[in-house]
Amino acid sequence: MKNTTPAAPAPQAPAPLKKAPSRTEPRPERSTGSRIGELVQRQGVLAVLLTVILIASFVYPTFASLDNARGVTVQASFLAIVALGMTLVIITGGIDLSVGSVFALGGVLAAWASPWGFLAALFVPLVVCGAIGLVNGLLIARANMAPFIVTLATLLAARGMLLAFTDEGATTYLVPKDSAFAELGQGSVWGFGYPILIALALFGAGGLLLQRTSFGQTLFAVGGSSDAATLMGLPVARTKILVYTLSGLLAGLAGALNAARLSSGVTIVGVGMELDAISAVVIGGTLLIGGAGSISGTLWGVLLLAVIQNLINQIGSLNSSYQSVVSGGFLIVVVVAQRYLARSRRTT
């Protein structure tokens, strides 16, 4: 009889390991001071603006009139459009010193082209000023040149082009009266001038661009750390080129609207406008080092500067130079506050 050995039992599969219950680490709660700091940075300028308006309305009854409000907002709309482009540039960690000269050049070009029609009056300054912004972006993003040096050079170049085009300011180009282009700067809807409506529309589009699109998030990433954004695969160079081009386009558009309002291409406008735009952006809470900022804060900063200028005019005994003193004081306070808030966030 043949001996048979019993077959070895088949190896059993190891019992599945019990999955450990997942535990999500609780996110560290921000301190109250950090939350207050963020709120002050984002909405502090709005609180200051409302306070100044409230006090001025009680002290000077004419300040709160509808006609005065229209005048303030129309005058502020041109700076607002320029400051919108400056906001995008500063968020990326850059600076654009050429916007004042580009603003003046855009106005002269618009007045010069206005006899050929509405489209020519807008197309010529947008093309030329957009090209200046494109040159800024290419030199900064592709040639790795410092934004301060590049835009300072184009500031001088744009002002030189302006003087050469107007025979050292001896020639003033006029916008034809009753033309469609003149109506763009002088017309109104329900008492509000077209420049105001255009500025509000641009700020609405800018807010959506910054907060609701991947391009806006790329701006913050580039401003936070350009090297880190490059490692993440973000188009850093293309982003910088686009923001400087947009800055040039918006400055040219603001200059064209100002020429339509004044019915002429004035050569002496825009001097120091780049400083006003930077002040409005920084007062509005955008960090000069880049990586943080808001479109709405810039709007409140522009309105605050405009209200201060109008309030000085209401006083009567003070000249316009005091506006620079007050604006400089606000700027120093805001920069010091930003440094303090940034330091407090690092320690919390």
Side-chain angles (χ1 to χ4, degrees):
M1 196 171 171
K2 191 175 181 180
N3 292 332
T4 58
T5 58
Q12 296 180 353
L17 296 176
K18 292 184 179 181
K19 188 177 180 180
S22 61
R23 291 181 299 176
T24 57
E25 295 293 333
R27 297 178 64 183
E29 294 185 0
R30 293 180 301 170
S31 64
T32 303
S34 177
R35 293 176 179 177
I36 294 176
E38 288 185 6
L39 182 63
V40 170
Q41 180 179 340
R42 294 180 180 179
Q43 304 298 337
V45 63
L46 178 58
V48 174
L49 173 63
L50 295 177
T51 302
V52 172
I53 291 176
L54 184 63
I55 295 175
S57 299
F58 277 110
V59 176
Y60 301 99
T62 56
F63 178 85
S65 65
L66 185 58
D67 290 337
N68 186 61
R70 290 170 179 167
V72 170
T73 50
V74 167
Q75 190 64 33
S77 60
F78 309 108
L79 176 61
I81 296 174
V82 175
L84 175 60
M86 185 70 74
T87 303
L88 302 179
V89 170
I90 292 181
I91 286 178
T92 63
I95 200 77
D96 190 353
L97 300 179
S98 66
V99 291
S101 296
V102 173
F103 170 83
L105 178 62
V108 170
L109 291 175
W112 171 79
S114 60
W116 285 276
F118 179 85
L119 294 179
L122 282 180
F123 182 76
V124 172
L126 289 180
V127 169
V128 175
C129 297
I132 294 175
L134 178 62
V135 170
N136 286 336
L138 289 173
L139 292 176
I140 292 168
R142 299 298 185 187
N144 293 322
M145 297 180 65
F148 182 88
I149 300 300
V150 172
T151 57
L152 179 61
T154 50
L155 177 154
L156 299 175
R159 186 65 65 174
M161 291 171 59
L162 168 67
L163 294 176
F165 196 73
T166 59
D167 299 325
E168 301 293 331
T171 302
T172 301
Y173 298 99
L174 301 178
V175 177
K177 294 182 178 180
D178 301 327
S179 63
F181 182 65
E183 180 68 15
L184 182 64
Q186 302 169 13
S188 62
V189 176
W190 300 312
F192 294 94
Y194 288 134
I196 300 174
L197 302 179
I198 293 173
L200 291 177
L202 290 173
F203 267 79
L208 292 176
L209 178 71
L210 198 62
Q211 301 295 335
R212 302 296 182 183
T213 65
S214 59
F215 177 74
Q217 300 308 308
T218 302
L219 295 184
F220 289 112
V222 171
S225 174
S226 181
D227 294 335
T230 301
L231 294 175
M232 293 169 59
L234 297 177
V236 176
R238 185 176 65 187
T239 300
K240 291 182 178 181
I241 293 172
L242 283 175
V243 294
Y244 281 99
T245 303
L246 285 174
S247 180
L249 284 171
L250 291 173
L253 175 61
L257 292 175
N258 187 59
R261 178 173 174 267
L262 299 177
S263 296
S264 64
V266 182
T267 59
I268 60 174
V269 298
V271 178
M273 192 177 198
E274 61 278 353
L275 302 181
D276 291 335
I278 295 171
S279 299
V281 172
V282 176
I283 289 174
T286 299
L287 298 181
L288 269 175
I289 59 175
S294 67
I295 298 298
S296 61
T298 297
L299 181 60
W300 309 140
V302 170
L303 290 176
L304 179 59
L305 295 181
V307 166
I308 291 173
Q309 180 182 9
N310 185 261
L311 186 57
I312 290 174
N313 295 335
Q314 294 279 339
I315 294 174
S317 59
L318 301 177
N319 56 41
S320 59
S321 61
Y322 283 91
Q323 181 198 358
S324 301
V325 176
V326 177
S327 301
F330 268 108
L331 187 60
I332 292 174
V333 171
V334 169
V335 172
V336 171
Q338 286 181 353
R339 291 180 61 87
Y340 173 78
L341 292 175
R343 188 180 305 170
S344 65
R345 288 182 190 177
R346 287 195 296 265
T347 57
T348 55

